[in-house]
Amino acid sequence: MIKDAKQHKPEDPELGDILDLIQTSFAYMDGRIDPPSSMLNLTLADVARQCETGEVWSLGAPVQACVFLSKKPDCLYLGKLAVASDARGQGLGARVVEVAEQRALALGYHTLELQTRIELVENHQIFAALGFVKTAETAHPGYDRVTSITMRKALDA
């Protein structure tokens, strides 16, 4: 496993730091994406529940990067990937994706999947540079236009 990568339990006191990191890291999207980010409704109880139903991983002490991992029938899904603004450009996002890759292979998956908002073209480029390929466009309920793209990365065993 990646050095200093930590998997969190529902009672972990660092979950509050993870929630703060997600809220702070996603704040720039406010007013830029429509519909607004689900992060606006994310609670500490939701983060703890993610630890039970999936996985929550972080890097750094204090927490500098995090990701939620969820099992899907044919892939491991990455959600809420966040890197602290003062830690960007240091490869932490790539390291979090490496954690996801290792977990996917350990769980018997050969594909990672994520979604990113259509407006966040810089994220599309970052994920493409990490080996993700756009596989679908989707619309949130009630929208008649594309609001998100799905990206996947095939993993070698």
Side-chain angles (χ1 to χ4, degrees):
M1 191 52 59
I2 299 289
K3 183 181 177 194
D4 84 346
K6 179 179 179 183
Q7 183 177 5
H8 295 273
K9 302 291 184 205
E11 65 283 352
D12 195 321
E14 287 182 314
L15 296 188
D17 296 334
I18 289 170
L19 177 61
D20 289 344
L21 173 62
I22 293 167
Q23 291 173 334
T24 302
S25 297
F26 282 44
Y28 80 98
M29 297 177 198
D30 192 30
R32 187 168 171 207
I33 61 171
D34 184 35
S37 174
S38 61
M39 171 278 305
L40 295 172
N41 300 317
L42 193 67
T43 67
L44 190 56
D46 294 327
V47 180
R49 191 169 20 266
Q50 175 64 30
C51 292
E52 294 171 342
T53 62
E55 298 180 4
V56 175
W57 287 84
S58 71
L59 296 172
V63 175
Q64 295 292 300
C66 67
V67 67
F68 289 6
L69 302 177
S70 301
K71 295 177 184 177
K72 291 180 102 177
D74 65 341
C75 65
L76 189 63
Y77 183 83
L78 285 69
K80 303 295 185 259
L81 193 158
V83 176
S85 60
D86 62 350
R88 292 191 181 138
Q90 299 175 22
L92 293 178
R95 288 179 60 211
V96 168
V97 171
E98 287 179 41
V99 169
E101 291 172 2
Q102 291 177 10
R103 290 300 301 141
L105 292 171
L107 294 167
Y109 291 105
H110 296 282
T111 306
L112 293 178
E113 182 180 271
L114 58 81
Q115 287 189 307
T116 181
R117 293 303 188 90
I118 194 73
E119 298 94 342
L120 304 178
V121 292
E122 65 278 14
N123 288 356
H124 308 177
Q125 294 169 345
I126 290 168
F127 292 128
L130 292 172
F132 287 84
V133 176
K134 180 171 126 177
T135 57
E137 296 181 339
T138 57
H140 283 76
Y143 284 76
D144 61 358
R145 63 172 177 80
V146 173
T147 57
S148 296
I149 66 167
T150 302
M151 300 183 82
R152 286 186 153 222
K153 180 178 182 175
L155 305 176
D156 295 327

